[in-house]
Amino acid sequence: MHSTVQGCIDVALWDIAGKAAGLPIYPLQADDLYGYRRLKQQLSIPIMATEMTEGGVYALAPWLVQQATDFLRGDVVIKGGITGMMKIAHLAEAFQMNCELHDAYNALNNVATLHVAMAIRNCEYYEVLVIHPPGEYDTTHFSYGLTEPIEIDTHGQRPRPNPTRSWVRHRLGADQRDAAR
Protein backbone atom coordinates (compact mmCIF):
# COMPACT_ATOMS: atom_id res chain seq x y z
CA MET A 1 0.00 0.00 0.00
CA HIS A 2 1.30 3.45 -0.86
CA SER A 3 2.63 5.58 1.99
CA THR A 4 0.31 8.49 1.15
CA VAL A 5 -2.73 6.58 2.33
CA GLN A 6 -4.44 8.74 4.90
CA GLY A 7 -6.47 7.46 7.78
CA CYS A 8 -9.52 9.42 8.85
CA ILE A 9 -8.20 9.25 12.43
CA ASP A 10 -4.95 10.89 11.31
CA VAL A 11 -6.85 13.69 9.64
CA ALA A 12 -9.22 14.14 12.59
CA LEU A 13 -6.39 14.26 15.13
CA TRP A 14 -4.42 16.73 13.06
CA ASP A 15 -7.53 18.93 12.70
CA ILE A 16 -8.12 18.88 16.47
CA ALA A 17 -4.49 19.55 17.33
CA GLY A 18 -4.14 22.20 14.64
CA LYS A 19 -7.21 24.09 15.79
CA ALA A 20 -6.15 23.88 19.45
CA ALA A 21 -2.63 25.10 18.70
CA GLY A 22 -3.64 27.68 16.11
CA LEU A 23 -1.69 25.81 13.41
CA PRO A 24 -2.66 25.39 9.77
CA ILE A 25 -4.85 22.35 9.23
CA TYR A 26 -3.80 19.81 6.59
CA PRO A 27 -3.91 16.03 6.29
CA LEU A 28 -1.09 14.22 8.03
CA GLN A 29 0.51 11.64 5.74
CA ALA A 30 1.08 8.14 7.14
CA ASP A 31 4.88 8.42 6.81
CA ASP A 32 5.21 12.03 8.05
CA LEU A 33 7.47 11.36 11.03
CA TYR A 34 8.12 15.06 11.61
CA GLY A 35 4.41 15.88 11.42
CA TYR A 36 3.57 13.15 13.95
CA ARG A 37 6.33 14.42 16.21
CA ARG A 38 4.87 17.93 16.12
CA LEU A 39 1.36 16.54 16.64
CA LYS A 40 2.49 14.46 19.61
CA GLN A 41 4.06 17.55 21.21
CA GLN A 42 0.71 19.37 20.99
CA LEU A 43 -1.53 16.63 22.38
CA SER A 44 -1.97 15.22 25.85
CA ILE A 45 -3.33 11.91 24.52
CA PRO A 46 -1.13 9.07 23.19
CA ILE A 47 -0.47 8.80 19.46
CA MET A 48 -0.42 5.44 17.69
CA ALA A 49 1.33 5.78 14.36
CA THR A 50 3.15 3.50 11.88
CA GLU A 51 0.13 1.43 10.84
CA MET A 52 0.58 2.17 7.15
CA THR A 53 4.22 3.21 6.97
CA GLU A 54 6.38 1.38 4.48
CA GLY A 55 9.30 -0.75 5.61
CA GLY A 56 9.87 -3.03 8.53
CA VAL A 57 11.77 -2.83 11.77
CA TYR A 58 14.55 -0.58 10.46
CA ALA A 59 12.08 1.99 9.14
CA LEU A 60 10.35 2.19 12.53
CA ALA A 61 13.36 2.80 14.78
CA PRO A 62 13.48 6.53 13.88
CA TRP A 63 9.85 6.92 15.00
CA LEU A 64 10.87 5.78 18.48
CA VAL A 65 14.14 7.72 18.63
CA GLN A 66 12.35 10.91 17.48
CA GLN A 67 9.48 10.24 19.93
CA ALA A 68 6.91 10.60 17.15
CA THR A 69 4.61 7.85 18.46
CA ASP A 70 3.62 6.27 21.76
CA PHE A 71 3.04 2.82 20.24
CA LEU A 72 4.14 0.89 17.19
CA ARG A 73 1.46 -0.69 15.03
CA GLY A 74 1.30 -3.15 12.17
CA ASP A 75 0.17 -6.49 10.80
CA VAL A 76 1.74 -9.56 9.20
CA VAL A 77 0.77 -8.48 5.68
CA ILE A 78 2.38 -5.05 5.49
CA LYS A 79 5.22 -5.45 7.98
CA GLY A 80 7.05 -8.56 6.81
CA GLY A 81 5.07 -11.54 8.06
CA ILE A 82 5.22 -13.13 11.49
CA THR A 83 8.99 -12.65 11.73
CA GLY A 84 8.73 -8.98 10.75
CA MET A 85 6.00 -8.31 13.31
CA MET A 86 7.92 -10.14 16.03
CA LYS A 87 10.96 -7.92 15.33
CA ILE A 88 8.80 -4.80 15.46
CA ALA A 89 7.19 -5.95 18.72
CA HIS A 90 10.63 -6.53 20.25
CA LEU A 91 11.80 -3.10 19.06
CA ALA A 92 8.79 -1.52 20.78
CA GLU A 93 9.47 -3.59 23.89
CA ALA A 94 13.07 -2.30 23.99
CA PHE A 95 11.60 1.22 24.21
CA GLN A 96 9.08 0.08 26.85
CA MET A 97 6.19 0.56 24.43
CA ASN A 98 3.35 -1.58 23.22
CA CYS A 99 3.08 -2.91 19.70
CA GLU A 100 -0.59 -3.01 18.80
CA LEU A 101 -1.78 -5.14 15.90
CA HIS A 102 -4.46 -4.55 13.32
CA ASP A 103 -6.56 -6.47 10.86
CA ALA A 104 -4.65 -8.56 8.33
CA TYR A 105 -7.31 -8.54 5.58
CA ASN A 106 -8.34 -12.23 5.55
CA ALA A 107 -8.90 -15.12 7.95
CA LEU A 108 -5.57 -16.90 7.48
CA ASN A 109 -3.58 -13.68 7.90
CA ASN A 110 -5.69 -12.84 10.95
CA VAL A 111 -4.77 -16.22 12.46
CA ALA A 112 -1.09 -15.39 11.84
CA THR A 113 -1.53 -11.99 13.49
CA LEU A 114 -3.37 -13.63 16.38
CA HIS A 115 -0.37 -15.91 16.86
CA VAL A 116 1.88 -12.85 17.07
CA ALA A 117 -0.46 -11.20 19.57
CA MET A 118 -0.34 -14.23 21.81
CA ALA A 119 3.44 -14.60 21.51
CA ILE A 120 4.38 -11.11 22.68
CA ARG A 121 3.99 -9.41 26.03
CA ASN A 122 3.52 -5.87 24.81
CA CYS A 123 0.23 -6.08 22.91
CA GLU A 124 -3.07 -5.15 24.51
CA TYR A 125 -5.23 -4.70 21.43
CA TYR A 126 -5.74 -6.47 18.16
CA GLU A 127 -8.05 -4.51 15.91
CA VAL A 128 -10.14 -6.63 13.55
CA LEU A 129 -12.45 -5.16 10.96
CA VAL A 130 -15.93 -6.50 11.54
CA ILE A 131 -17.73 -5.48 8.38
CA HIS A 132 -21.45 -6.12 8.63
CA PRO A 133 -24.81 -4.55 7.80
CA PRO A 134 -26.25 -2.31 10.54
CA GLY A 135 -27.81 -4.37 13.30
CA GLU A 136 -26.02 -7.61 12.34
CA TYR A 137 -22.95 -8.42 14.37
CA ASP A 138 -21.82 -11.86 13.27
CA THR A 139 -18.16 -12.54 12.61
CA THR A 140 -18.47 -15.22 9.92
CA HIS A 141 -16.27 -13.24 7.52
CA PHE A 142 -13.54 -13.24 10.19
CA SER A 143 -13.28 -17.03 9.88
CA TYR A 144 -13.93 -17.43 6.14
CA GLY A 145 -11.98 -20.43 4.85
CA LEU A 146 -11.12 -21.84 8.28
CA THR A 147 -12.41 -25.26 9.35
CA GLU A 148 -13.70 -23.77 12.60
CA PRO A 149 -14.40 -20.14 13.47
CA ILE A 150 -12.12 -18.01 15.60
CA GLU A 151 -14.13 -17.68 18.76
CA ILE A 152 -14.59 -14.18 20.14
CA ASP A 153 -16.27 -13.84 23.54
CA THR A 154 -19.07 -11.44 24.47
CA HIS A 155 -16.48 -8.83 25.52
CA GLY A 156 -14.92 -8.86 22.06
CA GLN A 157 -11.88 -10.81 23.22
CA ARG A 158 -10.13 -13.98 22.11
CA PRO A 159 -8.76 -15.67 25.21
CA ARG A 160 -5.35 -17.29 25.02
CA PRO A 161 -5.59 -21.04 24.53
CA ASN A 162 -5.00 -23.41 27.40
CA PRO A 163 -1.22 -24.08 27.32
CA THR A 164 -1.75 -27.72 28.30
CA ARG A 165 -3.75 -28.39 25.11
CA SER A 166 -2.52 -27.94 21.59
CA TRP A 167 -4.23 -25.15 19.73
CA VAL A 168 -5.14 -27.35 16.80
CA ARG A 169 -8.06 -25.37 15.45
CA HIS A 170 -6.15 -22.16 14.77
CA ARG A 171 -2.60 -23.19 14.13
CA LEU A 172 -0.83 -22.34 10.95
CA GLY A 173 0.01 -25.06 8.45
CA ALA A 174 -1.75 -28.14 7.15
CA ASP A 175 -4.23 -30.05 9.25
CA GLN A 176 -2.59 -33.29 10.43
CA ARG A 177 -5.75 -35.22 9.67
CA ASP A 178 -5.58 -34.11 6.04
CA ALA A 179 -1.85 -34.93 5.82
CA ALA A 180 -2.50 -38.50 7.01
CA ARG A 181 -5.02 -39.18 4.24
Side-chain angles (χ1 to χ4, degrees), residues 28-81:
L28 189 58
Q29 303 297 316
D31 61 350
D32 185 359
L33 185 148
Y34 179 68
Y36 272 95
R37 184 170 178 235
R38 287 189 9 221
L39 177 62
K40 188 173 178 291
Q41 291 169 346
Q42 298 295 320
L43 296 177
S44 60
I45 60 171
I47 296 293
M48 184 182 310
T50 73
E51 178 172 336
M52 300 304 293
T53 56
E54 293 180 1
V57 67
Y58 299 108
L60 298 182
W63 287 79
L64 301 180
V65 172
Q66 292 293 319
Q67 299 179 349
T69 186
D70 294 294
F71 309 88
L72 290 182
R73 187 162 174 87
D75 67 66
V76 300
V77 176
I78 296 174
K79 301 295 187 191

Side-chain angles (χ1 to χ4, degrees), residues 3 8 19 23 31 34 55 57 60 74 76 85 90 95 133 156 169 173:
S3 64
C8 59
K19 287 178 183 176
L23 298 172
D31 61 350
Y34 179 68
V57 67
L60 298 182
V76 300
M85 277 311 306
H90 294 314
F95 280 79
R169 293 183 315 203

Side-chain angles (χ1 to χ4, degrees), residues 48 67 70 72 81-82 85 92 94 97 99 103 110 114 144 153:
M48 184 182 310
Q67 299 179 349
D70 294 294
L72 290 182
I82 292 174
M85 277 311 306
M97 291 183 178
C99 178
D103 189 80
N110 283 336
L114 193 57
Y144 181 79
D153 69 18

